[in-house]
Amino acid sequence: RDVERSRGLGDVYKRQTHILRRLNDVRFMEFGDLFMERVREGAPAAVVVVHFIAMLELARESLLEITQAEPYAPIYVRLAYTSVAAVAA
């Protein structure tokens, strides 16, 4: 059971790294675009869930900002530290 749990954490860390790399080259990205990549690859639901958990963890750690202007509007994701760097410049 502990092996499964540690493997699951490793998967979350891998997804976090992937998400950070994807967002590093863009100013922001629509929330769904990060998921659609995994869905198009034919990833099982569990992989998509791990990807979602990785995004939530990054937001909790203040590395990712998730914003929505109003109800039903698109949700956008960006690296939190790029917005700080832009203000400082």
Side-chain angles (χ1 to χ4, degrees), residues 18-49:
H18 175 79
I19 292 165
L20 292 173
R21 285 184 179 152
R22 287 265 315 196
L23 292 171
N24 199 41
D25 297 332
V26 296
R27 187 168 172 190
F28 60 87
M29 182 177 286
E30 195 165 328
F31 186 79
D33 290 344
L34 286 170
F35 287 100
M36 289 312 297
E37 173 185 285
R38 303 300 299 162
V39 171
R40 279 191 293 270
E41 292 171 356
V47 172
V48 176
V49 169

Side-chain angles (χ1 to χ4, degrees), residues 65-82:
E65 290 180 357
I66 302 172
T67 58
Q68 183 180 33
E70 59 187 45
Y72 306 106
I75 299 170
Y76 293 99
V77 181
R78 71 177 178 178
L79 296 176
Y81 53 84
T82 56

